[in-house]
């Protein structure tokens, strides 16, 4: 299929583009490079621009005969969203509407949407299944949930079919080692611990040691970026085969604590990391673990990198080879 990958030059998007090109889809990347990297995607696939620009959308969709959209063009920092909800609703909802309207105008019927575990908020259960209560605790999660709801009504009114994938903690890099995570500023645990192992930062601060978990630190479900991309391919295939609009969780179903992640980076890298035990970061739930049975059963998704060691190993390869990221 001819797929428009919005935000395709970013961390998750660039791995998606690579996955699309493998089984013979065509990928056109639309990215304003506010977060993404030109070097992360094939040069001839990149259209530089904004997904809120309706005229540009019309041009790109028509020129390339776009049949489906994958949408990675979000702001995604929970902390920032607390102080700048305006930016989050503007980018993730208002601009997202412009994208949907562009799809409707150009009769592009299929969308795979990057959603998040943050739509659940403070969980009442582990693992979290798709029927859990949706009660975001920050504007980031709220903006993603708002968009999921909009999608439901765009399906009812305009026949736009969508699958929302609620990611848990995306991590790792393509095993080839030439693309990977490069955020500025970096806020995510695995790249920060790796930077400490590489001596590019003095230590890693552990946000909270008094959580109700076995070692007192937060537990997360880390999922390899290529396994995420694979799920998008399956979602696309399902939509093209007539599937109804829905949402799926995407995680491995096993949780690792912050201290376990640090130990894993030490094992994989063979280097010591200094952990500084600190206070909690506002808004962090103690445990976030995905129940991903539905996507396994309904779409046949199977993670190929379920072990934290493998995930960290691929991240280590990328950061070791590119200590300054794409620069
Ligand atoms: N952490 C530290 N020290 C750091 C950075 C993170 O201890 O320097 C801890 C966090 O407190 C958390 C864990 O490591 O317990 C993972 O933190 P990340 O920032 O890597 O990821 P989050 O779990 O906060 O965020 C992820 C996604 C978001 C999504 C959120 C849902 O990246 O997009 O889960 O809660 F919204």
């Amino acid at each position: 299929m001819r797929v428009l990958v919005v935000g395709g030059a970013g961390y998750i998007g660039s791995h998606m583009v690579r996955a699309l090109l493998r089984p013979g889809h065509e990928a056109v990347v639309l990215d304003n490079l506010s977060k993404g990297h030109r070097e992360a995607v094939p040069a001839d696939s990149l259209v530089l621009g904004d997904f809120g620009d309706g005229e540009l959308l019309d041009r790109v969709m028509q020129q390339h005969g776009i049949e489906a959209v994958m949408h990675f063009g979000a702001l995604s920092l929970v902390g920032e969203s607390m102080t700048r909800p305006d930016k989050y609703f503007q980018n993730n909802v208002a601009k997202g509407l412009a994208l949907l309207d562009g799809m409707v105008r150009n009769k592009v019927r299929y969308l795979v949407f990057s959603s998040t575990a943050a739509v659940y908020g403070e969980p009442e259960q582990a693992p979290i299944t798709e029927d859990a209560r949706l009660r975001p605790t920050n504007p980031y999660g709220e903006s993603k949930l708002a968009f999921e709801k909009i999608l439901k009504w765009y399906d009812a009114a305009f026949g736009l079919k969508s699958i929302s994938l609620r990611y848990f903690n995306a991590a790792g890099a393509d095993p080839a080692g030439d693309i990977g995570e490069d955020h500025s500023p970096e806020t995510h645990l695995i790249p920060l611990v790796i930077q400490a192992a590489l001596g590019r930062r003095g230590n890693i601060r552990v946000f909270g040691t008094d959580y109700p978990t076995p070692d007192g630190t937060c537990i997360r479900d880390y999922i390899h970026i290529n396994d995420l991309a694979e799920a998008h391919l399956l979602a696309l295939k399902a939509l093209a085969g007539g599937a109804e609009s829905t949402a799926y969780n995407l995680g491995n179903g096993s949780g690792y604590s912050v201290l376990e992640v640090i130990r894993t980076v030490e094992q994989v890298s063979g280097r010591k990391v200094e952990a500084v035990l600190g206070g909690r970061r506002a808004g962090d739930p103690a445990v976030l673990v995905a129940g991903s049975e539905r996507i396994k059963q309904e779409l046949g998704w199977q993670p190929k990198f379920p072990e934290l060691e493998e995930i960290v190993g691929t991240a280590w390869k990328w950061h070791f080879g590119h200590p300054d990221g794409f620069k």
Side-chain angles (χ1 to χ4, degrees), residues 98-131:
L99 175 63
L100 295 184
D101 291 339
M103 291 180 67
V104 171
R105 271 197 311 281
N106 292 284
K107 302 187 174 53
V108 179
R109 291 192 50 227
Y110 307 126
L111 173 71
V112 186
F113 173 57
S114 301
S115 192
T116 169
V119 297
Y120 295 110
E122 187 69 44
E124 290 163 336
Q125 61 191 78
I128 303 171
T129 47
E130 287 86 351
D131 53 8

PDB file of all heavy atoms in Angstrom, residues 98-131:
ATOM      1  N   ALA A  98      -7.000  18.427  11.364  1.00  0.00           N
ATOM      2  CA  ALA A  98      -6.678  18.858   9.998  1.00  0.00           C
ATOM      3  C   ALA A  98      -6.233  17.646   9.173  1.00  0.00           C
ATOM      4  O   ALA A  98      -6.584  17.512   7.992  1.00  0.00           O
ATOM      5  CB  ALA A  98      -5.589  19.924  10.027  1.00  0.00           C
ATOM      6  N   LEU A  99      -5.484  16.756   9.821  1.00  0.00           N
ATOM      7  CA  LEU A  99      -5.024  15.544   9.122  1.00  0.00           C
ATOM      8  C   LEU A  99      -6.223  14.665   8.749  1.00  0.00           C
ATOM      9  O   LEU A  99      -6.334  14.181   7.615  1.00  0.00           O
ATOM     10  CB  LEU A  99      -4.047  14.782  10.025  1.00  0.00           C
ATOM     11  CG  LEU A  99      -3.568  13.431   9.505  1.00  0.00           C
ATOM     12  CD1 LEU A  99      -2.785  13.583   8.205  1.00  0.00           C
ATOM     13  CD2 LEU A  99      -2.688  12.731  10.557  1.00  0.00           C
ATOM     14  N   LEU A 100      -7.128  14.472   9.701  1.00  0.00           N
ATOM     15  CA  LEU A 100      -8.310  13.647   9.419  1.00  0.00           C
ATOM     16  C   LEU A 100      -9.150  14.259   8.305  1.00  0.00           C
ATOM     17  O   LEU A 100      -9.638  13.544   7.417  1.00  0.00           O
ATOM     18  CB  LEU A 100      -9.166  13.490  10.678  1.00  0.00           C
ATOM     19  CG  LEU A 100      -8.536  12.724  11.849  1.00  0.00           C
ATOM     20  CD1 LEU A 100      -9.552  12.581  12.972  1.00  0.00           C
ATOM     21  CD2 LEU A 100      -8.042  11.351  11.405  1.00  0.00           C
ATOM     22  N   ASP A 101      -9.306  15.582   8.350  1.00  0.00           N
ATOM     23  CA  ASP A 101     -10.106  16.234   7.310  1.00  0.00           C
ATOM     24  C   ASP A 101      -9.441  16.087   5.942  1.00  0.00           C
ATOM     25  O   ASP A 101     -10.120  15.893   4.929  1.00  0.00           O
ATOM     26  CB  ASP A 101     -10.349  17.705   7.666  1.00  0.00           C
ATOM     27  CG  ASP A 101     -11.286  17.825   8.871  1.00  0.00           C
ATOM     28  OD1 ASP A 101     -12.027  16.853   9.142  1.00  0.00           O
ATOM     29  OD2 ASP A 101     -11.262  18.866   9.559  1.00  0.00           O
ATOM     30  N   GLY A 102      -8.108  16.146   5.938  1.00  0.00           N
ATOM     31  CA  GLY A 102      -7.369  15.907   4.693  1.00  0.00           C
ATOM     32  C   GLY A 102      -7.626  14.501   4.187  1.00  0.00           C
ATOM     33  O   GLY A 102      -7.806  14.274   2.987  1.00  0.00           O
ATOM     34  N   MET A 103      -7.659  13.539   5.091  1.00  0.00           N
ATOM     35  CA  MET A 103      -7.929  12.155   4.690  1.00  0.00           C
ATOM     36  C   MET A 103      -9.329  12.033   4.096  1.00  0.00           C
ATOM     37  O   MET A 103      -9.530  11.391   3.062  1.00  0.00           O
ATOM     38  CB  MET A 103      -7.790  11.213   5.899  1.00  0.00           C
ATOM     39  CG  MET A 103      -6.363  11.063   6.395  1.00  0.00           C
ATOM     40  SD  MET A 103      -6.255   9.948   7.819  1.00  0.00           S
ATOM     41  CE  MET A 103      -6.699   8.372   7.077  1.00  0.00           C
ATOM     42  N   VAL A 104     -10.298  12.659   4.768  1.00  0.00           N
ATOM     43  CA  VAL A 104     -11.687  12.562   4.295  1.00  0.00           C
ATOM     44  C   VAL A 104     -11.797  13.202   2.904  1.00  0.00           C
ATOM     45  O   VAL A 104     -12.363  12.608   1.981  1.00  0.00           O
ATOM     46  CB  VAL A 104     -12.650  13.236   5.301  1.00  0.00           C
ATOM     47  CG1 VAL A 104     -14.058  13.338   4.716  1.00  0.00           C
ATOM     48  CG2 VAL A 104     -12.665  12.462   6.626  1.00  0.00           C
ATOM     49  N   ARG A 105     -11.207  14.403   2.759  1.00  0.00           N
ATOM     50  CA  ARG A 105     -11.274  15.096   1.454  1.00  0.00           C
ATOM     51  C   ARG A 105     -10.688  14.247   0.337  1.00  0.00           C
ATOM     52  O   ARG A 105     -11.181  14.237  -0.781  1.00  0.00           O
ATOM     53  CB  ARG A 105     -10.472  16.413   1.517  1.00  0.00           C
ATOM     54  CG  ARG A 105     -11.227  17.630   1.972  1.00  0.00           C
ATOM     55  CD  ARG A 105     -10.486  18.915   1.595  1.00  0.00           C
ATOM     56  NE  ARG A 105      -9.069  18.946   1.950  1.00  0.00           N
ATOM     57  CZ  ARG A 105      -8.583  19.194   3.161  1.00  0.00           C
ATOM     58  NH1 ARG A 105      -9.404  19.443   4.152  1.00  0.00           N
ATOM     59  NH2 ARG A 105      -7.273  19.196   3.386  1.00  0.00           N
ATOM     60  N   ASN A 106      -9.608  13.546   0.680  1.00  0.00           N
ATOM     61  CA  ASN A 106      -8.885  12.798  -0.363  1.00  0.00           C
ATOM     62  C   ASN A 106      -9.236  11.310  -0.375  1.00  0.00           C
ATOM     63  O   ASN A 106      -8.548  10.512  -1.004  1.00  0.00           O
ATOM     64  CB  ASN A 106      -7.386  13.016  -0.191  1.00  0.00           C
ATOM     65  CG  ASN A 106      -6.990  14.448  -0.509  1.00  0.00           C
ATOM     66  OD1 ASN A 106      -6.929  14.817  -1.662  1.00  0.00           O
ATOM     67  ND2 ASN A 106      -6.776  15.253   0.521  1.00  0.00           N
ATOM     68  N   LYS A 107     -10.302  10.979   0.349  1.00  0.00           N
ATOM     69  CA  LYS A 107     -10.813   9.592   0.355  1.00  0.00           C
ATOM     70  C   LYS A 107      -9.761   8.567   0.761  1.00  0.00           C
ATOM     71  O   LYS A 107      -9.673   7.475   0.198  1.00  0.00           O
ATOM     72  CB  LYS A 107     -11.424   9.229  -1.005  1.00  0.00           C
ATOM     73  CG  LYS A 107     -12.564  10.174  -1.382  1.00  0.00           C
ATOM     74  CD  LYS A 107     -13.271   9.721  -2.637  1.00  0.00           C
ATOM     75  CE  LYS A 107     -14.495  10.575  -2.922  1.00  0.00           C
ATOM     76  NZ  LYS A 107     -14.244  12.028  -2.948  1.00  0.00           N
ATOM     77  N   VAL A 108      -8.942   8.940   1.745  1.00  0.00           N
ATOM     78  CA  VAL A 108      -7.975   7.992   2.318  1.00  0.00           C
ATOM     79  C   VAL A 108      -8.678   7.362   3.513  1.00  0.00           C
ATOM     80  O   VAL A 108      -9.035   8.054   4.468  1.00  0.00           O
ATOM     81  CB  VAL A 108      -6.682   8.717   2.759  1.00  0.00           C
ATOM     82  CG1 VAL A 108      -5.698   7.731   3.365  1.00  0.00           C
ATOM     83  CG2 VAL A 108      -6.052   9.438   1.573  1.00  0.00           C
ATOM     84  N   ARG A 109      -8.902   6.057   3.454  1.00  0.00           N
ATOM     85  CA  ARG A 109      -9.869   5.457   4.384  1.00  0.00           C
ATOM     86  C   ARG A 109      -9.265   4.801   5.613  1.00  0.00           C
ATOM     87  O   ARG A 109      -9.978   4.427   6.535  1.00  0.00           O
ATOM     88  CB  ARG A 109     -10.720   4.420   3.641  1.00  0.00           C
ATOM     89  CG  ARG A 109     -11.654   5.064   2.633  1.00  0.00           C
ATOM     90  CD  ARG A 109     -12.676   4.069   2.125  1.00  0.00           C
ATOM     91  NE  ARG A 109     -13.337   3.364   3.214  1.00  0.00           N
ATOM     92  CZ  ARG A 109     -13.517   2.032   3.256  1.00  0.00           C
ATOM     93  NH1 ARG A 109     -13.066   1.284   2.273  1.00  0.00           N
ATOM     94  NH2 ARG A 109     -14.132   1.467   4.271  1.00  0.00           N
ATOM     95  N   TYR A 110      -7.932   4.602   5.621  1.00  0.00           N
ATOM     96  CA  TYR A 110      -7.347   3.814   6.720  1.00  0.00           C
ATOM     97  C   TYR A 110      -6.312   4.615   7.511  1.00  0.00           C
ATOM     98  O   TYR A 110      -5.421   5.231   6.923  1.00  0.00           O
ATOM     99  CB  TYR A 110      -6.675   2.556   6.171  1.00  0.00           C
ATOM    100  CG  TYR A 110      -7.580   1.734   5.289  1.00  0.00           C
ATOM    101  CD1 TYR A 110      -7.193   1.391   4.005  1.00  0.00           C
ATOM    102  CD2 TYR A 110      -8.831   1.317   5.749  1.00  0.00           C
ATOM    103  CE1 TYR A 110      -8.018   0.640   3.176  1.00  0.00           C
ATOM    104  CE2 TYR A 110      -9.666   0.570   4.927  1.00  0.00           C
ATOM    105  CZ  TYR A 110      -9.256   0.238   3.649  1.00  0.00           C
ATOM    106  OH  TYR A 110     -10.076  -0.495   2.835  1.00  0.00           O
ATOM    107  N   LEU A 111      -6.417   4.528   8.832  1.00  0.00           N
ATOM    108  CA  LEU A 111      -5.459   5.216   9.695  1.00  0.00           C
ATOM    109  C   LEU A 111      -4.993   4.275  10.800  1.00  0.00           C
ATOM    110  O   LEU A 111      -5.812   3.635  11.476  1.00  0.00           O
ATOM    111  CB  LEU A 111      -6.136   6.436  10.355  1.00  0.00           C
ATOM    112  CG  LEU A 111      -5.302   7.157  11.415  1.00  0.00           C
ATOM    113  CD1 LEU A 111      -4.134   7.916  10.788  1.00  0.00           C
ATOM    114  CD2 LEU A 111      -6.168   8.134  12.215  1.00  0.00           C
ATOM    115  N   VAL A 112      -3.672   4.202  10.998  1.00  0.00           N
ATOM    116  CA  VAL A 112      -3.146   3.547  12.193  1.00  0.00           C
ATOM    117  C   VAL A 112      -2.595   4.673  13.070  1.00  0.00           C
ATOM    118  O   VAL A 112      -1.731   5.444  12.638  1.00  0.00           O
ATOM    119  CB  VAL A 112      -2.042   2.520  11.867  1.00  0.00           C
ATOM    120  CG1 VAL A 112      -1.640   1.776  13.141  1.00  0.00           C
ATOM    121  CG2 VAL A 112      -2.525   1.533  10.810  1.00  0.00           C
ATOM    122  N   PHE A 113      -3.141   4.767  14.270  1.00  0.00           N
ATOM    123  CA  PHE A 113      -2.874   5.921  15.133  1.00  0.00           C
ATOM    124  C   PHE A 113      -2.031   5.507  16.339  1.00  0.00           C
ATOM    125  O   PHE A 113      -2.323   4.515  17.009  1.00  0.00           O
ATOM    126  CB  PHE A 113      -4.214   6.508  15.608  1.00  0.00           C
ATOM    127  CG  PHE A 113      -4.068   7.588  16.643  1.00  0.00           C
ATOM    128  CD1 PHE A 113      -3.318   8.723  16.381  1.00  0.00           C
ATOM    129  CD2 PHE A 113      -4.679   7.464  17.893  1.00  0.00           C
ATOM    130  CE1 PHE A 113      -3.169   9.712  17.341  1.00  0.00           C
ATOM    131  CE2 PHE A 113      -4.545   8.452  18.848  1.00  0.00           C
ATOM    132  CZ  PHE A 113      -3.788   9.580  18.577  1.00  0.00           C
ATOM    133  N   SER A 114      -0.984   6.301  16.614  1.00  0.00           N
ATOM    134  CA  SER A 114      -0.121   6.064  17.780  1.00  0.00           C
ATOM    135  C   SER A 114      -0.805   6.582  19.026  1.00  0.00           C
ATOM    136  O   SER A 114      -0.804   7.787  19.277  1.00  0.00           O
ATOM    137  CB  SER A 114       1.176   6.852  17.650  1.00  0.00           C
ATOM    138  OG  SER A 114       1.864   6.490  16.514  1.00  0.00           O
ATOM    139  N   SER A 115      -1.367   5.683  19.817  1.00  0.00           N
ATOM    140  CA  SER A 115      -1.931   6.101  21.088  1.00  0.00           C
ATOM    141  C   SER A 115      -0.974   5.665  22.203  1.00  0.00           C
ATOM    142  O   SER A 115       0.190   5.327  21.934  1.00  0.00           O
ATOM    143  CB  SER A 115      -3.341   5.544  21.256  1.00  0.00           C
ATOM    144  OG  SER A 115      -3.972   6.171  22.357  1.00  0.00           O
ATOM    145  N   THR A 116      -1.434   5.664  23.420  1.00  0.00           N
ATOM    146  CA  THR A 116      -0.499   5.499  24.537  1.00  0.00           C
ATOM    147  C   THR A 116      -1.164   4.870  25.752  1.00  0.00           C
ATOM    148  O   THR A 116      -2.378   5.030  25.960  1.00  0.00           O
ATOM    149  CB  THR A 116       0.059   6.878  24.954  1.00  0.00           C
ATOM    150  OG1 THR A 116       0.763   6.747  26.193  1.00  0.00           O
ATOM    151  CG2 THR A 116      -1.049   7.902  25.170  1.00  0.00           C
ATOM    152  N   ALA A 117      -0.352   4.237  26.571  1.00  0.00           N
ATOM    153  CA  ALA A 117      -0.818   3.729  27.859  1.00  0.00           C
ATOM    154  C   ALA A 117      -1.327   4.865  28.749  1.00  0.00           C
ATOM    155  O   ALA A 117      -2.103   4.619  29.683  1.00  0.00           O
ATOM    156  CB  ALA A 117       0.332   3.021  28.569  1.00  0.00           C
ATOM    157  N   ALA A 118      -0.906   6.093  28.444  1.00  0.00           N
ATOM    158  CA  ALA A 118      -1.323   7.228  29.274  1.00  0.00           C
ATOM    159  C   ALA A 118      -2.829   7.486  29.190  1.00  0.00           C
ATOM    160  O   ALA A 118      -3.363   8.251  29.991  1.00  0.00           O
ATOM    161  CB  ALA A 118      -0.548   8.479  28.880  1.00  0.00           C
ATOM    162  N   VAL A 119      -3.535   6.845  28.239  1.00  0.00           N
ATOM    163  CA  VAL A 119      -4.999   7.020  28.200  1.00  0.00           C
ATOM    164  C   VAL A 119      -5.660   6.364  29.415  1.00  0.00           C
ATOM    165  O   VAL A 119      -6.769   6.737  29.796  1.00  0.00           O
ATOM    166  CB  VAL A 119      -5.660   6.466  26.908  1.00  0.00           C
ATOM    167  CG1 VAL A 119      -5.164   7.218  25.684  1.00  0.00           C
ATOM    168  CG2 VAL A 119      -5.453   4.969  26.760  1.00  0.00           C
ATOM    169  N   TYR A 120      -4.964   5.417  30.055  1.00  0.00           N
ATOM    170  CA  TYR A 120      -5.569   4.725  31.208  1.00  0.00           C
ATOM    171  C   TYR A 120      -5.399   5.494  32.523  1.00  0.00           C
ATOM    172  O   TYR A 120      -6.151   5.291  33.453  1.00  0.00           O
ATOM    173  CB  TYR A 120      -4.958   3.326  31.373  1.00  0.00           C
ATOM    174  CG  TYR A 120      -5.267   2.409  30.216  1.00  0.00           C
ATOM    175  CD1 TYR A 120      -4.267   2.023  29.334  1.00  0.00           C
ATOM    176  CD2 TYR A 120      -6.559   1.946  29.997  1.00  0.00           C
ATOM    177  CE1 TYR A 120      -4.547   1.187  28.255  1.00  0.00           C
ATOM    178  CE2 TYR A 120      -6.841   1.113  28.921  1.00  0.00           C
ATOM    179  CZ  TYR A 120      -5.830   0.735  28.057  1.00  0.00           C
ATOM    180  OH  TYR A 120      -6.112  -0.081  26.993  1.00  0.00           O
ATOM    181  N   GLY A 121      -4.350   6.332  32.594  1.00  0.00           N
ATOM    182  CA  GLY A 121      -4.084   7.023  33.856  1.00  0.00           C
ATOM    183  C   GLY A 121      -3.557   6.072  34.908  1.00  0.00           C
ATOM    184  O   GLY A 121      -2.867   5.095  34.603  1.00  0.00           O
ATOM    185  N   GLU A 122      -3.889   6.330  36.149  1.00  0.00           N
ATOM    186  CA  GLU A 122      -3.439   5.483  37.270  1.00  0.00           C
ATOM    187  C   GLU A 122      -4.194   4.159  37.185  1.00  0.00           C
ATOM    188  O   GLU A 122      -5.412   4.128  37.335  1.00  0.00           O
ATOM    189  CB  GLU A 122      -3.757   6.205  38.585  1.00  0.00           C
ATOM    190  CG  GLU A 122      -3.218   5.559  39.833  1.00  0.00           C
ATOM    191  CD  GLU A 122      -1.690   5.639  39.935  1.00  0.00           C
ATOM    192  OE1 GLU A 122      -1.136   6.716  39.657  1.00  0.00           O
ATOM    193  OE2 GLU A 122      -1.088   4.622  40.284  1.00  0.00           O
ATOM    194  N   PRO A 123      -3.495   3.055  36.902  1.00  0.00           N
ATOM    195  CA  PRO A 123      -4.225   1.818  36.638  1.00  0.00           C
ATOM    196  C   PRO A 123      -4.806   1.179  37.900  1.00  0.00           C
ATOM    197  O   PRO A 123      -4.246   1.317  38.978  1.00  0.00           O
ATOM    198  CB  PRO A 123      -3.171   0.911  36.023  1.00  0.00           C
ATOM    199  CG  PRO A 123      -1.883   1.417  36.524  1.00  0.00           C
ATOM    200  CD  PRO A 123      -2.041   2.880  36.796  1.00  0.00           C
ATOM    201  N   GLU A 124      -5.901   0.470  37.698  1.00  0.00           N
ATOM    202  CA  GLU A 124      -6.513  -0.257  38.825  1.00  0.00           C
ATOM    203  C   GLU A 124      -6.105  -1.716  38.769  1.00  0.00           C
ATOM    204  O   GLU A 124      -6.466  -2.490  39.631  1.00  0.00           O
ATOM    205  CB  GLU A 124      -8.040  -0.139  38.726  1.00  0.00           C
ATOM    206  CG  GLU A 124      -8.523   1.265  39.020  1.00  0.00           C
ATOM    207  CD  GLU A 124      -9.946   1.522  38.550  1.00  0.00           C
ATOM    208  OE1 GLU A 124     -10.429   0.825  37.627  1.00  0.00           O
ATOM    209  OE2 GLU A 124     -10.569   2.437  39.108  1.00  0.00           O
ATOM    210  N   GLN A 125      -5.379  -2.111  37.723  1.00  0.00           N
ATOM    211  CA  GLN A 125      -5.043  -3.520  37.545  1.00  0.00           C
ATOM    212  C   GLN A 125      -3.710  -3.662  36.801  1.00  0.00           C
ATOM    213  O   GLN A 125      -3.289  -2.758  36.093  1.00  0.00           O
ATOM    214  CB  GLN A 125      -6.141  -4.202  36.720  1.00  0.00           C
ATOM    215  CG  GLN A 125      -6.253  -3.570  35.333  1.00  0.00           C
ATOM    216  CD  GLN A 125      -7.473  -3.999  34.557  1.00  0.00           C
ATOM    217  OE1 GLN A 125      -8.579  -3.524  34.799  1.00  0.00           O
ATOM    218  NE2 GLN A 125      -7.277  -4.920  33.629  1.00  0.00           N
ATOM    219  N   ALA A 126      -3.054  -4.785  36.990  1.00  0.00           N
ATOM    220  CA  ALA A 126      -1.877  -5.137  36.192  1.00  0.00           C
ATOM    221  C   ALA A 126      -2.001  -6.615  35.852  1.00  0.00           C
ATOM    222  O   ALA A 126      -2.200  -7.412  36.764  1.00  0.00           O
ATOM    223  CB  ALA A 126      -0.581  -4.885  36.965  1.00  0.00           C
ATOM    224  N   PRO A 127      -1.891  -7.011  34.602  1.00  0.00           N
ATOM    225  CA  PRO A 127      -1.763  -6.140  33.433  1.00  0.00           C
ATOM    226  C   PRO A 127      -3.056  -5.378  33.105  1.00  0.00           C
ATOM    227  O   PRO A 127      -4.143  -5.783  33.506  1.00  0.00           O
ATOM    228  CB  PRO A 127      -1.405  -7.125  32.315  1.00  0.00           C
ATOM    229  CG  PRO A 127      -1.885  -8.459  32.772  1.00  0.00           C
ATOM    230  CD  PRO A 127      -1.865  -8.447  34.259  1.00  0.00           C
ATOM    231  N   ILE A 128      -2.869  -4.288  32.373  1.00  0.00           N
ATOM    232  CA  ILE A 128      -4.002  -3.444  31.961  1.00  0.00           C
ATOM    233  C   ILE A 128      -4.567  -3.988  30.647  1.00  0.00           C
ATOM    234  O   ILE A 128      -3.828  -4.158  29.680  1.00  0.00           O
ATOM    235  CB  ILE A 128      -3.518  -1.999  31.711  1.00  0.00           C
ATOM    236  CG1 ILE A 128      -2.844  -1.422  32.965  1.00  0.00           C
ATOM    237  CG2 ILE A 128      -4.663  -1.117  31.267  1.00  0.00           C
ATOM    238  CD1 ILE A 128      -2.150  -0.094  32.726  1.00  0.00           C
ATOM    239  N   THR A 129      -5.854  -4.259  30.619  1.00  0.00           N
ATOM    240  CA  THR A 129      -6.473  -4.708  29.362  1.00  0.00           C
ATOM    241  C   THR A 129      -7.253  -3.542  28.745  1.00  0.00           C
ATOM    242  O   THR A 129      -7.488  -2.517  29.406  1.00  0.00           O
ATOM    243  CB  THR A 129      -7.406  -5.907  29.619  1.00  0.00           C
ATOM    244  OG1 THR A 129      -8.231  -5.599  30.745  1.00  0.00           O
ATOM    245  CG2 THR A 129      -6.609  -7.158  29.921  1.00  0.00           C
ATOM    246  N   GLU A 130      -7.671  -3.727  27.515  1.00  0.00           N
ATOM    247  CA  GLU A 130      -8.277  -2.607  26.777  1.00  0.00           C
ATOM    248  C   GLU A 130      -9.604  -2.156  27.389  1.00  0.00           C
ATOM    249  O   GLU A 130     -10.051  -1.037  27.127  1.00  0.00           O
ATOM    250  CB  GLU A 130      -8.502  -2.976  25.303  1.00  0.00           C
ATOM    251  CG  GLU A 130      -7.234  -3.044  24.463  1.00  0.00           C
ATOM    252  CD  GLU A 130      -6.555  -4.399  24.529  1.00  0.00           C
ATOM    253  OE1 GLU A 130      -6.953  -5.246  25.354  1.00  0.00           O
ATOM    254  OE2 GLU A 130      -5.609  -4.616  23.744  1.00  0.00           O
ATOM    255  N   ASP A 131     -10.235  -3.030  28.180  1.00  0.00           N
ATOM    256  CA  ASP A 131     -11.519  -2.616  28.763  1.00  0.00           C
ATOM    257  C   ASP A 131     -11.343  -1.899  30.114  1.00  0.00           C
ATOM    258  O   ASP A 131     -12.319  -1.570  30.787  1.00  0.00           O
ATOM    259  CB  ASP A 131     -12.463  -3.819  28.914  1.00  0.00           C
ATOM    260  CG  ASP A 131     -11.814  -4.962  29.673  1.00  0.00           C
ATOM    261  OD1 ASP A 131     -10.703  -4.767  30.206  1.00  0.00           O
ATOM    262  OD2 ASP A 131     -12.408  -6.062  29.731  1.00  0.00           O
TER     263      ASP A 131
END
